């Protein structure tokens, strides 16, 4: 156990924790808008394109991070243009770039004479080999991303929820769509070192899916997603560090699996909550001429009788066994 | 609500619209006067939605010109004066949102980036929700509401921007009578403030008494423009409409025969 505590005094571990924290905040923030636009896999598409960017960096002996940023942004813009201009579906446009990006990346890495091991650092993350410069880079991008997404939240919400309405409201929808794509590309490269290009989309989507189970407002969803993202990123890193004394446990996959575990545990709660909300939503108040009285009714309904009390016009109906019972003087009415 | 006298909210002169090279609307002349409630009617594929999308700038015109409040479309920037209710089955999107959040997003026309909502903004949002009669449901998720209630949310969203002109694309499609009445009440309140309304509708239902003028489209042209008609006159035996054809071009691929499979 003391070995585990000692880990925190190691500079590489501190850098890794910071990078994980920043990624956990940034990825779900932009991911919420992708899910809202039903483009949940956009992050994945950009991630695959960024593989080519990393490979170009390896081939030209420049920083793979910067070439990945450039290529990821180009790829994101291209996806957006194909989606908007062509009559191709968003998902087909994504698929085209998935395969092109991955094939190009593997091919160019081969040309560069680099082994698969070097590429793997970027494909599945290498949190523990992060330098101080990488942390500053991650920090800068995270700040830009959070200021833009949270500052422009009303605009991005309007554009993502109803583009036609947003356009007639005078918003430059194409510009905002491009902004979302570019921010997603930046996030992908930020998260590249943490969870890797192939798993980055998980940090953008799974926390949002988790928060959705419990939230019914957009604000709660985005805030909840960021909390889940941070918990998963930090928790996954610590878990993999704790387990690393016994076996080789990579942080990237641990983070993703932890996020999925959080989704799996909130899912039944979400199902129950939705069922309860539907159960308790008010009955329509329609005037009915007939007056049906219940048969003999030994049970006394009340606020804590255990039966759902559903608002109905100016009173409540108690729901049990397919009946809706409303108090009427000394007896109950069938409503 | 101040309405500048003189300049009509919508003016279309010899307007034409083509989609993918196929002329859809031809020779449209239409002036909507200030304070008027105009119903745009016609069969499926008659071009009424296309006309509304051209007026709101979602489709480019290929000929003629459109002016909004006296300003040619190309120079028009005053979008806060226009409220739009697009044709949608649902107000929900991929992420949960409450009634208040969706309506508040309509205030976007009067907000500046990076600034929080002002007290005035909050009042307008609350008023808009009140007009459509959903004040008790502000905190509910929109996906929990019925289809008709969601249409009321979409109208409240357009009203939150306090527009002078409201354009609605079939808000009553598939909406039950109770909700249609609620929609009509909301529009009556809005019209009483002196605003102009352009409504695309298949049938008027409870809206009928509010309509000042009806325009009936047929095959991309205006077939009737005058006082509101009884439904019987617009759709009934007096003017039997030719079998409607839709405007979707029946283009075949190189491997397909044209005209087949329709």
């Amino acid at each position: 156990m003391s070995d585990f505590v000692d880990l925190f005094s190691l500079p590489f571990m501190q850098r890794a924790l910071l990078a994980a924290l920043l990624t956990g905040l940034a990825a779900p923030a932009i991911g919420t808008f992708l899910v809202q636009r039903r483009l949940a896999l956009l992050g994945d598409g950009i991630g695959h394109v960024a593989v080519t960017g990393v490979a170009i960096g390896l081939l030209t002996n420049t920083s793979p991070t910067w070439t990945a940023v450039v290529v990821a942004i180009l790829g994101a813009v291209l996806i957006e243009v194909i989606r908007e201009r062509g009559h191709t579906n968003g998902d087909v446009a994504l698929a085209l770039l998935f395969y092109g990006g991955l094939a190009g990346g593997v091919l160019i890495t081969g040309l560069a004479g680099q082994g698969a091991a070097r590429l793997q650092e970027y494909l599945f993350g290498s949190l523990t080999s992060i330098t101080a410069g990488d942390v500053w880079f991650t920090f800068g991008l995270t700040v830009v991303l959070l200021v833009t997404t949270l500052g422009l939240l009303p605009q991005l919400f309007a554009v993502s929820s109803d583009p036609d309405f947003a356009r007639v409201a005078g918003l430059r929808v194409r510009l905002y769509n491009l902004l979302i794509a570019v921010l997603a590309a930046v996030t992908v490269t930020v998260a590249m070192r943490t969870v890797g290009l192939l798993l980055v989309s998980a940090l953008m989507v799974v926390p949002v899916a988790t928060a959705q189970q419990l939230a019914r407002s957009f604000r709660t969803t985005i805030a909840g997603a960021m909390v889940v993202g941070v918990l998963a990123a930090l928790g996954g890193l610590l878990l993999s560090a704790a387990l690393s004394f016994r076996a080789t446990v990579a942080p990237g996959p641990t983070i993703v699996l932890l996020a999925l575990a959080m989704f799996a545990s909130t899912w039944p709660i979400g199902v129950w909550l939705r069922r309860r909300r539907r159960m308790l939503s008010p009955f329509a108040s329609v005037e009915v001429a007939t007056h049906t009285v219940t048969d003999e009714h030994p049970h006394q309904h009340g606020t804590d009788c255990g039966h759902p009390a559903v608002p109905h016009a100016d009173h409540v109906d108690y729901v049990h066994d397919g009946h809706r019972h409303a108090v009427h003087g000394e007896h109950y009415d069938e409503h | 609500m101040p309405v500048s006298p003189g300049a009509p909210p919508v003016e279309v002169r010899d307007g034409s619209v083509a989609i993918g090279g196929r002329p859809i609307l031809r020779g449209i002349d239409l002036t909507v006067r200030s304070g008027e409630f105009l119903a745009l009617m016609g069969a499926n594929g008659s071009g009424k939605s296309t006309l509304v999308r051209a007026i709101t700038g979602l489709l480019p015109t290929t000929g003629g010109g459109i002016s909004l409040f006296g300003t040619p479309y190309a120079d028009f920037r005053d979008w806060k004066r226009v409220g739009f209710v697009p044709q949608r089955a649902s107000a929900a999107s991929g992420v949960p949102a409450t009634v208040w959040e969706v309506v508040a997003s309509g205030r976007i026309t009067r907000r500046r980036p990076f600034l929080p909502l002002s007290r005035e903004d909050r009042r307008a949002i609350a008023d808009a929700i009140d007009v459509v009669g959903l004040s008790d449901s502000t905190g509910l998720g929109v996906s929990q509401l019925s289809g008709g209630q969601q249409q009321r949310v979409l109208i409240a969203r357009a009203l939150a921007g306090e527009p002078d002109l409201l354009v609605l694309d079939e808000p009553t499609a598939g909406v039950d009578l109770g909700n249609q009445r609620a929609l009509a009440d909301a529009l009556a309140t809005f019209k009483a403030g002196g605003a102009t309304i352009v409504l695309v509708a298949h049938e008027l239902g409870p809206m009928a008494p509010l309509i000042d003028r009806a325009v009936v489209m047929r095959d991309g042209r205006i077939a009737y423009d005058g006082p509101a008609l009884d439904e019987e006159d617009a759709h009934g035996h007096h003017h039997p409409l030719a079998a409607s054809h839709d405007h979707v071009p029946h283009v075949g691929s190189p491997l397909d025969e044209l005209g087949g499979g329709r």
Side-chain angles (χ1 to χ4, degrees):
Chain A
M1 194 60 209
S2 68
D3 285 347
F4 180 62
V5 176
D6 286 345
L7 268 181
F8 290 96
S9 60
L10 298 174
F12 83 84
M13 192 61 190
Q14 291 166 354
R15 288 195 296 268
L17 279 170
L18 259 178
L21 173 75
L22 294 168
T23 316
L25 275 177
I30 189 69
T32 308
F33 294 104
L34 298 184
V35 173
Q36 195 187 13
R37 293 179 61 198
R38 303 185 201 276
L39 275 177
L41 290 179
L42 183 72
D44 229 345
I46 296 172
H48 282 64
V49 174
V51 176
T52 299
V54 169
I56 291 174
L58 295 177
L59 181 68
T60 56
N61 274 325
T62 44
S63 154
T65 308
W66 285 109
T67 49
V69 169
V70 172
V71 173
I73 288 179
L74 287 177
V77 171
L78 193 63
I79 294 175
E80 195 49 44
V81 169
I82 295 179
R83 206 184 57 78
E84 195 204 328
R85 286 292 162 81
H87 293 283
T88 324
N89 283 333
D91 60 336
V92 176
L94 284 173
L96 295 174
L97 280 147
F98 263 48
Y99 310 129
L102 194 56
V106 174
L107 192 77
I108 295 174
T109 314
L111 290 179
Q114 304 268 2
R118 189 84 172 84
L119 192 59
Q120 190 148 344
E121 273 183 30
Y122 294 91
L123 290 182
F124 299 106
S126 57
L127 248 183
T128 43
S129 68
I130 284 179
T131 65
D134 287 336
V135 173
W136 279 112
F137 175 76
T138 308
F139 180 74
L141 289 180
T142 307
V143 169
V144 170
L145 194 108
L146 289 181
V147 167
T148 330
T149 44
L150 300 182
L152 293 176
L153 192 121
Q155 283 76 14
L156 294 175
F157 175 84
V159 168
S160 309
S161 65
D162 191 340
D164 278 357
F165 173 79
R167 241 181 96 180
V168 180
L171 292 182
R172 294 158 86 178
V173 170
R174 185 177 300 158
L175 203 71
Y176 281 106
N177 279 342
L178 277 178
L179 180 70
I180 292 177
V182 169
L183 288 176
V186 169
T187 314
V188 164
T189 37
V190 164
M192 174 169 76
R193 302 301 300 271
T194 322
V195 288
L197 290 171
L198 293 187
L199 291 177
V200 62
S201 196
L203 258 191
M204 298 169 102
V205 175
V206 179
V208 182
T210 308
Q212 270 187 12
Q213 297 302 320
L214 308 179
R216 58 177 153 178
S217 81
F218 187 80
R219 277 152 195 272
T220 328
T221 306
I222 194 166
M226 287 164 77
V227 170
V228 172
V230 167
L231 288 179
L234 291 181
L237 177 60
L238 294 177
L239 195 63
S240 70
L243 293 174
S244 64
F245 296 107
R246 285 175 216 159
T248 318
V249 180
T254 315
I255 291 172
V256 173
L257 287 174
L258 188 62
L260 281 170
M262 288 166 84
F263 173 76
S265 55
T266 48
W267 188 61
I269 306 176
V271 169
W272 176 75
L273 272 178
R274 278 188 293 274
R275 194 187 131 78
R276 202 177 67 118
R277 255 182 234 149
R278 206 170 307 133
M279 185 81 190
L280 293 180
S281 68
F283 292 121
S285 56
V286 179
E287 287 189 29
V288 184
T290 54
H291 176 223
T292 318
V293 181
T294 54
D295 302 333
E296 199 77 4
H297 199 274
H299 175 79
Q300 183 82 34
H301 286 301
T303 41
D304 48 1
C305 72
H307 294 130
V310 181
H312 179 209
D314 56 353
H315 59 275
V316 291
D317 286 356
Y318 294 96
V319 177
H320 71 95
D321 303 322
H323 293 275
R324 288 162 48 178
H325 285 169
V327 181
H328 187 223
E330 296 294 304
H331 62 268
Y332 292 103
D333 284 353
E334 292 279 1
H335 274 192
Chain B
M1 226 163 281
V3 176
S4 63
V10 182
E11 195 171 16
V12 186
R13 282 281 151 267
D14 194 28
S16 55
V17 172
I19 298 177
R22 275 173 77 87
I24 306 294
L25 300 182
R26 289 98 65 209
I28 303 286
D29 280 302
L30 179 68
T31 304
V32 184
R33 287 175 289 272
S34 210
E36 200 167 46
F37 192 148
L38 183 141
L40 201 53
M41 308 183 69
N44 280 339
S46 59
K48 50 193 194 309
S49 275
T50 309
L51 178 54
V52 153
R53 291 178 72 80
I55 289 171
T56 49
L58 291 169
L59 278 176
T61 48
T62 40
I66 295 179
S67 300
L68 295 176
F69 297 102
T71 312
Y73 183 78
D75 301 326
F76 188 77
R77 295 287 174 274
D78 213 5
W79 286 109
K80 60 176 180 293
R81 298 189 70 179
V82 182
F84 180 50
V85 181
Q87 188 173 8
R88 284 183 70 130
S90 156
S93 61
V95 170
T98 61
V99 169
W100 188 87
E101 284 176 321
V102 173
V103 175
S105 78
R107 195 64 188 169
I108 205 79
T109 52
R110 290 176 188 266
R111 290 183 68 183
R112 292 172 166 278
F114 295 107
L115 292 184
L117 284 168
S118 67
R119 184 177 300 176
E120 176 65 14
D121 291 332
R122 290 182 183 278
R123 183 202 51 78
I125 294 163
D127 284 356
I129 296 175
D130 193 42
V131 165
V132 298
L134 288 175
S135 295
D136 295 335
S137 320
T138 48
L140 292 184
V142 279
S143 53
Q144 284 171 261
L145 303 180
S146 70
Q149 286 174 320
Q150 294 195 24
Q151 290 298 334
R152 281 153 70 184
V153 171
L154 293 179
I155 289 181
R157 178 177 68 174
L159 295 182
E162 296 180 299
D164 298 324
L165 165 69
L166 183 64
V167 180
L168 306 100
D169 196 354
E170 299 219 33
T172 51
V175 171
D176 63 86
L177 199 61
N179 275 304
Q180 283 196 33
R181 282 203 197 97
L183 287 177
D185 289 345
L187 292 183
T189 313
F190 182 65
K191 179 182 148 85
T196 313
I197 302 175
V198 174
L199 167 80
V200 173
H202 224 71
E203 49 198 43
L204 296 175
M207 310 266 187
L210 300 169
I211 307 292
D212 297 316
R213 181 178 159 200
V215 167
V216 180
M217 304 278 300
R218 190 182 301 167
D219 195 22
R221 290 176 187 277
I222 290 178
Y224 171 89
D225 183 351
L229 302 165
D230 284 338
E231 245 148 69
E232 188 61 1
D233 293 330
H235 284 292
H237 58 276
H238 296 303
H239 305 276
L241 292 177
S244 77
H245 74 265
D246 58 43
H247 288 293
V248 182
H250 307 123
V251 183
S253 75
L255 301 180
D256 244 345
E257 257 182 79
L258 258 180
R262 230 210 118 179

